[in-house]
Amino acid sequence: MFKKVLIANRGEIAVRIIRACRELGIKTVAVYSTADKNSLHAQIADESICIGPANSKDSYLNMKAIISACEITGAEAIHPGFGFLSENAHFASMCQRCGITFIGPDPHSIEMLGDKAQAKKTMEDAGVPVITGSNGAVKSVSDALEIAKKVGYPVLVKASAGGGGRGIRRINTPKEMEEQITIAQQEALNFFGDSSVYIEKLILEPKHIEVQIMADNYGNVVYLGERDCSMQRRNQKVLEETPSPIMTDKLRKKMGESAVRAAKACGYKNAGTIEFLVDKDRNYYFMEMNTRIQVEHPITEAVTGIDLVKTQILVASGEKLPFTQKDIHMNGHAIECRINAENPALNFRPSPGTIEALHTPGGFGIRIDSAVYQGYTIPPYYDSMIAKLIVHAPDRDTAIMKMKWALSEFIVDGVDTNIDFQLNIIRHKAFKEGNYNNSFLEKEFKL
Ligand code: ADP
Ligand code: ADP
Ligand code: MG
């Protein structure tokens, strides 16, 4: 097992990883930007190193500074968390060449799956159902028009290197194609440094259901149930739950086995998530694979009783998976609400600033993963997610009740938050009935 791990991230996920390391008896190294001098992760780690100025490009994305921090402190492994360098194949291979273990899959798996158009081809070959569309990236507008005609409008144009819900555009008619493709390519280049785009049929009112998998270095792959992430705003997740209200044991097994096949098709190691869209007839289609731990991992931890971050570290250090498929049972129901410093009334404008007063809920079955404290100043440079509230109960109704009261108790003064917005979702009749899809928030909340 590692003696010392460096966490190449910030915020609640950095804190989450530090805690997992402590339980494993591993010393931790936090890295931070000048804007994060007072952040929780920098304070609770055994050692902390400043890696550059506020702008992520110069700090949390500064590979040389992070590798140097490893060398200076003698950390043997890097946990990348999510976002930042977590899906950067070049960084993973840099670690490898420097003799540092990257806690995640091999660089070639990251590269293969990071190109979403390419990944679909790999999955199709492995017998995993995919959404119809272009076979790889589109080469020209006429190419795109031909594909769209074949699959039928509306279609989506998506950035091959996309992530975080960005770089996705809807095209309703052939007339819009040229303009939209051009904008999409430009956006893709700006956001992701790669202008390739691909075309996909738009699935109407689908549900986003993803499967968590965990793989060791010896070819063992296990699926850990699903997460329903259909509660979305602008293709970004807002609230997640497991099990999905539409799931059956039979479908879970089928999707789980597809997910395992997908992972095996690319020699996958460590934690990963296969994202599927599920249509009204419960047909499911591979959308993408995220080659990292995800924001919503705690709901899976709640129902399976497995610490996913600890397992990531264990398998990265060369241990075998400590469980097999038949050891995985889903126990009860879990829901996560993402708590963001933002103002829903002002089009969810981020709301950085100082937290004047903070009261967090607690009690049986309530978990908070957070990086804020009273008096903390949220810097304006990074993601607006400041906490995750997770509840676990024997059944869905009880979990909803627990979440409702937990949200009501949650007080954050000094900055705006989406806590009331989350409460409105939790109280909504359709949500209570488990009757919602990816278009729900846009439609019901007129977003
Ligand atoms: P999930 O929420 O399922 O873990 P997301 O796609 O929402 O996955 O990404 C998690 C975090 O990583 C978010 O903070 C998101 O903004 C960020 N992120 C994801 N992909 C990218 C990317 N390609 N570039 C920059 N940030 C990204
Ligand atoms: P990202 O890499 O940004 O996470 P995804 O490919 O996972 O992008 O898509 C994000 C979200 O966009 C999905 O959860 C879904 O709501 C929507 N979406 C993506 N592709 C389609 C599609 N073909 N049909 C309908 N909705 C889609
Ligand atoms: Mg996605």
Side-chain angles (χ1 to χ4, degrees), residues 116 131 156 158 162-168 192 198 200-206 208 229 232 235-237 275 277 287-288 290 292 438:
K116 293 166 72 180
I131 305 167
L156 291 181
K158 298 172 69 171
R166 278 168 300 183
I168 301 176
F192 311 112
Y198 62 109
E200 216 167 71
K201 185 169 178 59
L202 178 89
I203 311 244
L204 289 170
E205 313 215 316
H208 174 122
C229 311
Q232 300 186 351
N235 304 322
Q236 285 173 347
K237 300 160 188 169
E275 297 190 332
L277 287 183
M287 190 161 51
E288 67 161 337
N290 291 329
R292 53 172 164 86
N438 297 9

PDB file of all heavy atoms in Angstrom, residues 116 131 156 158 162-168 192 198 200-206 208 229 232 235-237 275 277 287-288 290 292 438, ligand 2:
ATOM      1  N   LYS A 116     -15.286  10.704 -27.495  1.00  0.00           N
ATOM      2  CA  LYS A 116     -16.611  10.092 -27.344  1.00  0.00           C
ATOM      3  C   LYS A 116     -17.111   9.438 -28.631  1.00  0.00           C
ATOM      4  O   LYS A 116     -17.828   8.438 -28.587  1.00  0.00           O
ATOM      5  CB  LYS A 116     -17.605  11.145 -26.831  1.00  0.00           C
ATOM      6  CG  LYS A 116     -17.275  11.594 -25.411  1.00  0.00           C
ATOM      7  CD  LYS A 116     -18.009  12.852 -25.019  1.00  0.00           C
ATOM      8  CE  LYS A 116     -19.483  12.592 -24.795  1.00  0.00           C
ATOM      9  NZ  LYS A 116     -20.188  13.848 -24.416  1.00  0.00           N
ATOM     10  N   ILE A 131     -26.344   4.853 -29.388  1.00  0.00           N
ATOM     11  CA  ILE A 131     -27.309   5.735 -30.037  1.00  0.00           C
ATOM     12  C   ILE A 131     -26.895   5.886 -31.498  1.00  0.00           C
ATOM     13  O   ILE A 131     -25.712   6.110 -31.787  1.00  0.00           O
ATOM     14  CB  ILE A 131     -27.334   7.122 -29.347  1.00  0.00           C
ATOM     15  CG1 ILE A 131     -27.610   6.951 -27.852  1.00  0.00           C
ATOM     16  CG2 ILE A 131     -28.381   8.034 -29.991  1.00  0.00           C
ATOM     17  CD1 ILE A 131     -27.343   8.206 -27.020  1.00  0.00           C
ATOM     18  N   LEU A 156     -28.523  15.727 -32.486  1.00  0.00           N
ATOM     19  CA  LEU A 156     -27.623  16.543 -31.673  1.00  0.00           C
ATOM     20  C   LEU A 156     -26.250  16.533 -32.331  1.00  0.00           C
ATOM     21  O   LEU A 156     -25.827  15.517 -32.872  1.00  0.00           O
ATOM     22  CB  LEU A 156     -27.475  15.965 -30.261  1.00  0.00           C
ATOM     23  CG  LEU A 156     -28.669  16.031 -29.316  1.00  0.00           C
ATOM     24  CD1 LEU A 156     -28.285  15.415 -27.974  1.00  0.00           C
ATOM     25  CD2 LEU A 156     -29.145  17.468 -29.112  1.00  0.00           C
ATOM     26  N   LYS A 158     -22.467  16.915 -31.101  1.00  0.00           N
ATOM     27  CA  LYS A 158     -21.774  16.855 -29.814  1.00  0.00           C
ATOM     28  C   LYS A 158     -20.259  16.891 -30.022  1.00  0.00           C
ATOM     29  O   LYS A 158     -19.738  16.294 -30.961  1.00  0.00           O
ATOM     30  CB  LYS A 158     -22.157  15.556 -29.071  1.00  0.00           C
ATOM     31  CG  LYS A 158     -23.650  15.468 -28.748  1.00  0.00           C
ATOM     32  CD  LYS A 158     -24.058  14.093 -28.199  1.00  0.00           C
ATOM     33  CE  LYS A 158     -23.519  13.815 -26.815  1.00  0.00           C
ATOM     34  NZ  LYS A 158     -24.122  12.558 -26.255  1.00  0.00           N
ATOM     35  N   GLY A 162     -16.020  16.446 -25.537  1.00  0.00           N
ATOM     36  CA  GLY A 162     -16.886  17.190 -24.610  1.00  0.00           C
ATOM     37  C   GLY A 162     -16.970  16.610 -23.211  1.00  0.00           C
ATOM     38  O   GLY A 162     -16.584  15.467 -22.954  1.00  0.00           O
ATOM     39  N   GLY A 163     -17.492  17.426 -22.309  1.00  0.00           N
ATOM     40  CA  GLY A 163     -17.697  17.010 -20.922  1.00  0.00           C
ATOM     41  C   GLY A 163     -18.391  18.118 -20.162  1.00  0.00           C
ATOM     42  O   GLY A 163     -18.468  19.255 -20.652  1.00  0.00           O
ATOM     43  N   GLY A 164     -18.922  17.777 -18.979  1.00  0.00           N
ATOM     44  CA  GLY A 164     -19.572  18.783 -18.144  1.00  0.00           C
ATOM     45  C   GLY A 164     -20.817  19.381 -18.789  1.00  0.00           C
ATOM     46  O   GLY A 164     -21.217  20.488 -18.445  1.00  0.00           O
ATOM     47  N   GLY A 165     -21.453  18.636 -19.711  1.00  0.00           N
ATOM     48  CA  GLY A 165     -22.697  19.100 -20.347  1.00  0.00           C
ATOM     49  C   GLY A 165     -22.471  20.184 -21.394  1.00  0.00           C
ATOM     50  O   GLY A 165     -23.428  20.728 -21.936  1.00  0.00           O
ATOM     51  N   ARG A 166     -21.216  20.486 -21.705  1.00  0.00           N
ATOM     52  CA  ARG A 166     -20.951  21.546 -22.679  1.00  0.00           C
ATOM     53  C   ARG A 166     -20.631  20.979 -24.055  1.00  0.00           C
ATOM     54  O   ARG A 166     -20.183  19.850 -24.187  1.00  0.00           O
ATOM     55  CB  ARG A 166     -19.805  22.427 -22.196  1.00  0.00           C
ATOM     56  CG  ARG A 166     -20.291  23.488 -21.198  1.00  0.00           C
ATOM     57  CD  ARG A 166     -19.144  24.162 -20.518  1.00  0.00           C
ATOM     58  NE  ARG A 166     -18.357  23.176 -19.784  1.00  0.00           N
ATOM     59  CZ  ARG A 166     -17.313  23.472 -19.038  1.00  0.00           C
ATOM     60  NH1 ARG A 166     -16.914  24.704 -18.934  1.00  0.00           N
ATOM     61  NH2 ARG A 166     -16.670  22.528 -18.388  1.00  0.00           N
ATOM     62  N   GLY A 167     -20.880  21.787 -25.070  1.00  0.00           N
ATOM     63  CA  GLY A 167     -20.557  21.391 -26.434  1.00  0.00           C
ATOM     64  C   GLY A 167     -21.605  20.485 -27.050  1.00  0.00           C
ATOM     65  O   GLY A 167     -21.281  19.615 -27.857  1.00  0.00           O
ATOM     66  N   ILE A 168     -22.875  20.655 -26.633  1.00  0.00           N
ATOM     67  CA  ILE A 168     -23.968  19.852 -27.198  1.00  0.00           C
ATOM     68  C   ILE A 168     -24.997  20.806 -27.798  1.00  0.00           C
ATOM     69  O   ILE A 168     -25.443  21.733 -27.125  1.00  0.00           O
ATOM     70  CB  ILE A 168     -24.640  18.987 -26.103  1.00  0.00           C
ATOM     71  CG1 ILE A 168     -23.615  18.059 -25.448  1.00  0.00           C
ATOM     72  CG2 ILE A 168     -25.812  18.189 -26.674  1.00  0.00           C
ATOM     73  CD1 ILE A 168     -24.157  17.229 -24.288  1.00  0.00           C
ATOM     74  N   PHE A 192     -12.480  22.657 -25.386  1.00  0.00           N
ATOM     75  CA  PHE A 192     -11.767  21.388 -25.217  1.00  0.00           C
ATOM     76  C   PHE A 192     -10.494  21.290 -26.050  1.00  0.00           C
ATOM     77  O   PHE A 192      -9.821  20.267 -26.033  1.00  0.00           O
ATOM     78  CB  PHE A 192     -12.700  20.213 -25.552  1.00  0.00           C
ATOM     79  CG  PHE A 192     -14.043  20.314 -24.859  1.00  0.00           C
ATOM     80  CD1 PHE A 192     -15.207  20.553 -25.583  1.00  0.00           C
ATOM     81  CD2 PHE A 192     -14.138  20.195 -23.474  1.00  0.00           C
ATOM     82  CE1 PHE A 192     -16.436  20.661 -24.937  1.00  0.00           C
ATOM     83  CE2 PHE A 192     -15.356  20.299 -22.832  1.00  0.00           C
ATOM     84  CZ  PHE A 192     -16.512  20.537 -23.563  1.00  0.00           C
ATOM     85  N   TYR A 198     -19.485  15.092 -33.460  1.00  0.00           N
ATOM     86  CA  TYR A 198     -20.191  13.955 -34.053  1.00  0.00           C
ATOM     87  C   TYR A 198     -21.696  14.174 -33.950  1.00  0.00           C
ATOM     88  O   TYR A 198     -22.148  15.046 -33.199  1.00  0.00           O
ATOM     89  CB  TYR A 198     -19.756  12.627 -33.413  1.00  0.00           C
ATOM     90  CG  TYR A 198     -20.041  12.480 -31.924  1.00  0.00           C
ATOM     91  CD1 TYR A 198     -21.037  11.604 -31.470  1.00  0.00           C
ATOM     92  CD2 TYR A 198     -19.301  13.184 -30.969  1.00  0.00           C
ATOM     93  CE1 TYR A 198     -21.292  11.438 -30.106  1.00  0.00           C
ATOM     94  CE2 TYR A 198     -19.550  13.025 -29.614  1.00  0.00           C
ATOM     95  CZ  TYR A 198     -20.547  12.154 -29.191  1.00  0.00           C
ATOM     96  OH  TYR A 198     -20.805  11.999 -27.849  1.00  0.00           O
ATOM     97  N   GLU A 200     -25.600  12.651 -33.350  1.00  0.00           N
ATOM     98  CA  GLU A 200     -26.328  11.598 -32.662  1.00  0.00           C
ATOM     99  C   GLU A 200     -27.814  11.885 -32.791  1.00  0.00           C
ATOM    100  O   GLU A 200     -28.216  13.052 -32.728  1.00  0.00           O
ATOM    101  CB  GLU A 200     -25.930  11.643 -31.178  1.00  0.00           C
ATOM    102  CG  GLU A 200     -25.849  10.307 -30.511  1.00  0.00           C
ATOM    103  CD  GLU A 200     -25.151  10.425 -29.158  1.00  0.00           C
ATOM    104  OE1 GLU A 200     -25.754  10.990 -28.232  1.00  0.00           O
ATOM    105  OE2 GLU A 200     -24.014   9.950 -29.032  1.00  0.00           O
ATOM    106  N   LYS A 201     -28.611  10.853 -32.943  1.00  0.00           N
ATOM    107  CA  LYS A 201     -30.054  11.061 -32.943  1.00  0.00           C
ATOM    108  C   LYS A 201     -30.472  11.570 -31.572  1.00  0.00           C
ATOM    109  O   LYS A 201     -29.975  11.112 -30.557  1.00  0.00           O
ATOM    110  CB  LYS A 201     -30.770   9.743 -33.246  1.00  0.00           C
ATOM    111  CG  LYS A 201     -32.274   9.927 -33.368  1.00  0.00           C
ATOM    112  CD  LYS A 201     -32.957   8.692 -33.932  1.00  0.00           C
ATOM    113  CE  LYS A 201     -34.468   8.899 -34.000  1.00  0.00           C
ATOM    114  NZ  LYS A 201     -34.858  10.060 -34.833  1.00  0.00           N
ATOM    115  N   LEU A 202     -31.381  12.541 -31.556  1.00  0.00           N
ATOM    116  CA  LEU A 202     -31.893  13.041 -30.273  1.00  0.00           C
ATOM    117  C   LEU A 202     -32.930  12.045 -29.768  1.00  0.00           C
ATOM    118  O   LEU A 202     -33.919  11.765 -30.440  1.00  0.00           O
ATOM    119  CB  LEU A 202     -32.532  14.421 -30.444  1.00  0.00           C
ATOM    120  CG  LEU A 202     -33.133  14.973 -29.153  1.00  0.00           C
ATOM    121  CD1 LEU A 202     -32.103  15.764 -28.376  1.00  0.00           C
ATOM    122  CD2 LEU A 202     -34.338  15.854 -29.420  1.00  0.00           C
ATOM    123  N   ILE A 203     -32.687  11.497 -28.608  1.00  0.00           N
ATOM    124  CA  ILE A 203     -33.672  10.597 -27.998  1.00  0.00           C
ATOM    125  C   ILE A 203     -34.654  11.491 -27.250  1.00  0.00           C
ATOM    126  O   ILE A 203     -34.236  12.317 -26.441  1.00  0.00           O
ATOM    127  CB  ILE A 203     -32.993   9.612 -27.028  1.00  0.00           C
ATOM    128  CG1 ILE A 203     -31.787   8.977 -27.702  1.00  0.00           C
ATOM    129  CG2 ILE A 203     -34.000   8.605 -26.497  1.00  0.00           C
ATOM    130  CD1 ILE A 203     -31.801   7.534 -27.946  1.00  0.00           C
ATOM    131  N   LEU A 204     -35.945  11.324 -27.538  1.00  0.00           N
ATOM    132  CA  LEU A 204     -36.944  12.210 -26.946  1.00  0.00           C
ATOM    133  C   LEU A 204     -37.257  11.798 -25.518  1.00  0.00           C
ATOM    134  O   LEU A 204     -37.508  10.627 -25.242  1.00  0.00           O
ATOM    135  CB  LEU A 204     -38.216  12.222 -27.790  1.00  0.00           C
ATOM    136  CG  LEU A 204     -38.058  12.951 -29.135  1.00  0.00           C
ATOM    137  CD1 LEU A 204     -39.269  12.727 -30.025  1.00  0.00           C
ATOM    138  CD2 LEU A 204     -37.802  14.437 -28.934  1.00  0.00           C
ATOM    139  N   GLU A 205     -37.227  12.786 -24.621  1.00  0.00           N
ATOM    140  CA  GLU A 205     -37.547  12.580 -23.214  1.00  0.00           C
ATOM    141  C   GLU A 205     -36.946  11.297 -22.639  1.00  0.00           C
ATOM    142  O   GLU A 205     -37.662  10.459 -22.090  1.00  0.00           O
ATOM    143  CB  GLU A 205     -39.061  12.589 -23.023  1.00  0.00           C
ATOM    144  CG  GLU A 205     -39.702  13.775 -23.752  1.00  0.00           C
ATOM    145  CD  GLU A 205     -40.891  14.342 -23.028  1.00  0.00           C
ATOM    146  OE1 GLU A 205     -41.715  13.560 -22.544  1.00  0.00           O
ATOM    147  OE2 GLU A 205     -40.970  15.590 -22.936  1.00  0.00           O
ATOM    148  N   PRO A 206     -35.640  11.143 -22.761  1.00  0.00           N
ATOM    149  CA  PRO A 206     -35.007   9.927 -22.221  1.00  0.00           C
ATOM    150  C   PRO A 206     -34.742  10.082 -20.738  1.00  0.00           C
ATOM    151  O   PRO A 206     -34.925  11.158 -20.167  1.00  0.00           O
ATOM    152  CB  PRO A 206     -33.688   9.887 -22.978  1.00  0.00           C
ATOM    153  CG  PRO A 206     -33.323  11.341 -23.140  1.00  0.00           C
ATOM    154  CD  PRO A 206     -34.631  12.090 -23.292  1.00  0.00           C
ATOM    155  N   HIS A 208     -31.505   9.562 -18.019  1.00  0.00           N
ATOM    156  CA  HIS A 208     -30.070   9.324 -17.920  1.00  0.00           C
ATOM    157  C   HIS A 208     -29.861   8.332 -16.780  1.00  0.00           C
ATOM    158  O   HIS A 208     -30.112   8.654 -15.618  1.00  0.00           O
ATOM    159  CB  HIS A 208     -29.340  10.650 -17.631  1.00  0.00           C
ATOM    160  CG  HIS A 208     -27.870  10.493 -17.365  1.00  0.00           C
ATOM    161  ND1 HIS A 208     -26.899  11.124 -18.111  1.00  0.00           N
ATOM    162  CD2 HIS A 208     -27.206   9.776 -16.424  1.00  0.00           C
ATOM    163  CE1 HIS A 208     -25.706  10.796 -17.633  1.00  0.00           C
ATOM    164  NE2 HIS A 208     -25.859   9.985 -16.611  1.00  0.00           N
ATOM    165  N   CYS A 229     -29.764   9.893 -13.075  1.00  0.00           N
ATOM    166  CA  CYS A 229     -29.321  11.294 -13.084  1.00  0.00           C
ATOM    167  C   CYS A 229     -30.158  12.089 -14.077  1.00  0.00           C
ATOM    168  O   CYS A 229     -29.645  12.952 -14.804  1.00  0.00           O
ATOM    169  CB  CYS A 229     -27.847  11.392 -13.447  1.00  0.00           C
ATOM    170  SG  CYS A 229     -26.776  10.293 -12.523  1.00  0.00           S
ATOM    171  N   GLN A 232     -31.829  17.142 -14.556  1.00  0.00           N
ATOM    172  CA  GLN A 232     -30.726  17.911 -15.143  1.00  0.00           C
ATOM    173  C   GLN A 232     -31.167  19.309 -15.553  1.00  0.00           C
ATOM    174  O   GLN A 232     -32.321  19.528 -15.907  1.00  0.00           O
ATOM    175  CB  GLN A 232     -30.203  17.218 -16.417  1.00  0.00           C
ATOM    176  CG  GLN A 232     -29.677  15.828 -16.207  1.00  0.00           C
ATOM    177  CD  GLN A 232     -29.045  15.254 -17.478  1.00  0.00           C
ATOM    178  OE1 GLN A 232     -29.148  15.828 -18.557  1.00  0.00           O
ATOM    179  NE2 GLN A 232     -28.400  14.113 -17.337  1.00  0.00           N
ATOM    180  N   ASN A 235     -28.193  19.888 -19.442  1.00  0.00           N
ATOM    181  CA  ASN A 235     -27.396  18.666 -19.549  1.00  0.00           C
ATOM    182  C   ASN A 235     -26.448  18.464 -18.379  1.00  0.00           C
ATOM    183  O   ASN A 235     -25.506  17.676 -18.455  1.00  0.00           O
ATOM    184  CB  ASN A 235     -26.593  18.631 -20.865  1.00  0.00           C
ATOM    185  CG  ASN A 235     -27.483  18.769 -22.081  1.00  0.00           C
ATOM    186  OD1 ASN A 235     -28.588  18.218 -22.092  1.00  0.00           O
ATOM    187  ND2 ASN A 235     -27.036  19.484 -23.076  1.00  0.00           N
ATOM    188  N   GLN A 236     -26.680  19.186 -17.281  1.00  0.00           N
ATOM    189  CA  GLN A 236     -25.858  18.985 -16.088  1.00  0.00           C
ATOM    190  C   GLN A 236     -26.723  18.456 -14.953  1.00  0.00           C
ATOM    191  O   GLN A 236     -27.856  18.884 -14.768  1.00  0.00           O
ATOM    192  CB  GLN A 236     -25.211  20.307 -15.662  1.00  0.00           C
ATOM    193  CG  GLN A 236     -24.063  20.697 -16.561  1.00  0.00           C
ATOM    194  CD  GLN A 236     -23.517  22.075 -16.268  1.00  0.00           C
ATOM    195  OE1 GLN A 236     -24.133  22.856 -15.539  1.00  0.00           O
ATOM    196  NE2 GLN A 236     -22.365  22.371 -16.829  1.00  0.00           N
ATOM    197  N   LYS A 237     -26.137  17.525 -14.202  1.00  0.00           N
ATOM    198  CA  LYS A 237     -26.905  16.867 -13.150  1.00  0.00           C
ATOM    199  C   LYS A 237     -27.160  17.795 -11.961  1.00  0.00           C
ATOM    200  O   LYS A 237     -26.290  18.565 -11.581  1.00  0.00           O
ATOM    201  CB  LYS A 237     -26.133  15.631 -12.679  1.00  0.00           C
ATOM    202  CG  LYS A 237     -25.915  14.633 -13.811  1.00  0.00           C
ATOM    203  CD  LYS A 237     -24.774  13.678 -13.528  1.00  0.00           C
ATOM    204  CE  LYS A 237     -24.483  12.847 -14.767  1.00  0.00           C
ATOM    205  NZ  LYS A 237     -23.222  12.090 -14.628  1.00  0.00           N
ATOM    206  N   GLU A 275     -22.387   5.737 -18.918  1.00  0.00           N
ATOM    207  CA  GLU A 275     -23.628   6.507 -18.976  1.00  0.00           C
ATOM    208  C   GLU A 275     -24.491   6.014 -20.129  1.00  0.00           C
ATOM    209  O   GLU A 275     -24.022   5.903 -21.261  1.00  0.00           O
ATOM    210  CB  GLU A 275     -23.320   8.006 -19.151  1.00  0.00           C
ATOM    211  CG  GLU A 275     -22.553   8.590 -17.980  1.00  0.00           C
ATOM    212  CD  GLU A 275     -22.450  10.119 -18.032  1.00  0.00           C
ATOM    213  OE1 GLU A 275     -22.467  10.696 -19.138  1.00  0.00           O
ATOM    214  OE2 GLU A 275     -22.330  10.724 -16.960  1.00  0.00           O
ATOM    215  N   LEU A 277     -28.520   6.322 -22.040  1.00  0.00           N
ATOM    216  CA  LEU A 277     -29.839   6.939 -22.123  1.00  0.00           C
ATOM    217  C   LEU A 277     -30.836   5.799 -22.229  1.00  0.00           C
ATOM    218  O   LEU A 277     -30.581   4.796 -22.901  1.00  0.00           O
ATOM    219  CB  LEU A 277     -29.955   7.854 -23.343  1.00  0.00           C
ATOM    220  CG  LEU A 277     -29.210   9.183 -23.268  1.00  0.00           C
ATOM    221  CD1 LEU A 277     -29.466  10.011 -24.520  1.00  0.00           C
ATOM    222  CD2 LEU A 277     -29.611   9.971 -22.018  1.00  0.00           C
ATOM    223  N   MET A 287     -23.897   6.063 -23.981  1.00  0.00           N
ATOM    224  CA  MET A 287     -23.677   7.460 -24.354  1.00  0.00           C
ATOM    225  C   MET A 287     -22.200   7.805 -24.232  1.00  0.00           C
ATOM    226  O   MET A 287     -21.597   8.308 -25.151  1.00  0.00           O
ATOM    227  CB  MET A 287     -24.529   8.352 -23.461  1.00  0.00           C
ATOM    228  CG  MET A 287     -24.570   9.782 -23.886  1.00  0.00           C
ATOM    229  SD  MET A 287     -25.968  10.633 -23.155  1.00  0.00           S
ATOM    230  CE  MET A 287     -25.784  10.226 -21.429  1.00  0.00           C
ATOM    231  N   GLU A 288     -21.629   7.536 -23.060  1.00  0.00           N
ATOM    232  CA  GLU A 288     -20.194   7.777 -22.886  1.00  0.00           C
ATOM    233  C   GLU A 288     -19.729   7.046 -21.632  1.00  0.00           C
ATOM    234  O   GLU A 288     -20.535   6.609 -20.815  1.00  0.00           O
ATOM    235  CB  GLU A 288     -19.883   9.277 -22.750  1.00  0.00           C
ATOM    236  CG  GLU A 288     -20.428   9.906 -21.487  1.00  0.00           C
ATOM    237  CD  GLU A 288     -19.737  11.231 -21.147  1.00  0.00           C
ATOM    238  OE1 GLU A 288     -18.596  11.454 -21.593  1.00  0.00           O
ATOM    239  OE2 GLU A 288     -20.336  12.024 -20.402  1.00  0.00           O
ATOM    240  N   ASN A 290     -17.254   7.677 -18.327  1.00  0.00           N
ATOM    241  CA  ASN A 290     -16.432   8.614 -17.565  1.00  0.00           C
ATOM    242  C   ASN A 290     -15.375   7.826 -16.814  1.00  0.00           C
ATOM    243  O   ASN A 290     -15.690   6.930 -16.032  1.00  0.00           O
ATOM    244  CB  ASN A 290     -17.298   9.427 -16.600  1.00  0.00           C
ATOM    245  CG  ASN A 290     -18.201  10.402 -17.336  1.00  0.00           C
ATOM    246  OD1 ASN A 290     -17.844  10.897 -18.407  1.00  0.00           O
ATOM    247  ND2 ASN A 290     -19.363  10.672 -16.805  1.00  0.00           N
ATOM    248  N   ARG A 292     -13.317   8.079 -14.317  1.00  0.00           N
ATOM    249  CA  ARG A 292     -12.908   8.710 -13.044  1.00  0.00           C
ATOM    250  C   ARG A 292     -13.996   8.446 -12.009  1.00  0.00           C
ATOM    251  O   ARG A 292     -15.054   7.919 -12.336  1.00  0.00           O
ATOM    252  CB  ARG A 292     -12.794  10.218 -13.268  1.00  0.00           C
ATOM    253  CG  ARG A 292     -14.090  10.768 -13.893  1.00  0.00           C
ATOM    254  CD  ARG A 292     -14.127  12.266 -13.962  1.00  0.00           C
ATOM    255  NE  ARG A 292     -15.153  12.755 -14.864  1.00  0.00           N
ATOM    256  CZ  ARG A 292     -16.420  12.962 -14.553  1.00  0.00           C
ATOM    257  NH1 ARG A 292     -16.857  12.677 -13.346  1.00  0.00           N
ATOM    258  NH2 ARG A 292     -17.277  13.432 -15.444  1.00  0.00           N
ATOM    259  N   ASN A 438     -35.207  13.498 -18.468  1.00  0.00           N
ATOM    260  CA  ASN A 438     -34.192  14.553 -18.593  1.00  0.00           C
ATOM    261  C   ASN A 438     -34.782  15.933 -18.921  1.00  0.00           C
ATOM    262  O   ASN A 438     -34.114  16.935 -18.734  1.00  0.00           O
ATOM    263  CB  ASN A 438     -33.179  14.189 -19.692  1.00  0.00           C
ATOM    264  CG  ASN A 438     -32.402  12.933 -19.374  1.00  0.00           C
ATOM    265  OD1 ASN A 438     -32.717  12.229 -18.417  1.00  0.00           O
ATOM    266  ND2 ASN A 438     -31.393  12.631 -20.171  1.00  0.00           N
TER     267      ASN A 438
HETATM  268  P1  ADP B   2     -21.070  15.139 -21.198  1.00  0.00           P
HETATM  269  O1  ADP B   2     -19.813  14.503 -21.693  1.00  0.00           O
HETATM  270  O2  ADP B   2     -21.047  16.600 -21.311  1.00  0.00           O
HETATM  271  O3  ADP B   2     -21.484  14.606 -19.880  1.00  0.00           O
HETATM  272  P2  ADP B   2     -23.085  13.408 -22.412  1.00  0.00           P
HETATM  273  O4  ADP B   2     -22.829  12.800 -23.739  1.00  0.00           O
HETATM  274  O5  ADP B   2     -22.904  12.536 -21.229  1.00  0.00           O
HETATM  275  O6  ADP B   2     -22.174  14.710 -22.281  1.00  0.00           O
HETATM  276  O7  ADP B   2     -24.538  14.048 -22.378  1.00  0.00           O
HETATM  277  C1  ADP B   2     -24.955  14.882 -21.316  1.00  0.00           C
HETATM  278  C2  ADP B   2     -26.462  14.984 -21.293  1.00  0.00           C
HETATM  279  O8  ADP B   2     -26.963  15.486 -22.541  1.00  0.00           O
HETATM  280  C3  ADP B   2     -27.182  13.645 -21.123  1.00  0.00           C
HETATM  281  O9  ADP B   2     -27.305  13.261 -19.778  1.00  0.00           O
HETATM  282  C4  ADP B   2     -28.521  13.941 -21.752  1.00  0.00           C
HETATM  283  O10 ADP B   2     -29.359  14.680 -20.895  1.00  0.00           O
HETATM  284  C5  ADP B   2     -28.162  14.846 -22.920  1.00  0.00           C
HETATM  285  N1  ADP B   2     -27.970  14.053 -24.161  1.00  0.00           N
HETATM  286  C6  ADP B   2     -26.778  13.681 -24.681  1.00  0.00           C
HETATM  287  N2  ADP B   2     -26.937  12.963 -25.819  1.00  0.00           N
HETATM  288  C7  ADP B   2     -28.272  12.877 -26.029  1.00  0.00           C
HETATM  289  C8  ADP B   2     -29.100  12.275 -27.051  1.00  0.00           C
HETATM  290  N3  ADP B   2     -28.579  11.632 -28.090  1.00  0.00           N
HETATM  291  N4  ADP B   2     -30.451  12.402 -26.951  1.00  0.00           N
HETATM  292  C9  ADP B   2     -30.996  13.086 -25.912  1.00  0.00           C
HETATM  293  N5  ADP B   2     -30.279  13.671 -24.921  1.00  0.00           N
HETATM  294  C10 ADP B   2     -28.935  13.581 -24.971  1.00  0.00           C
END
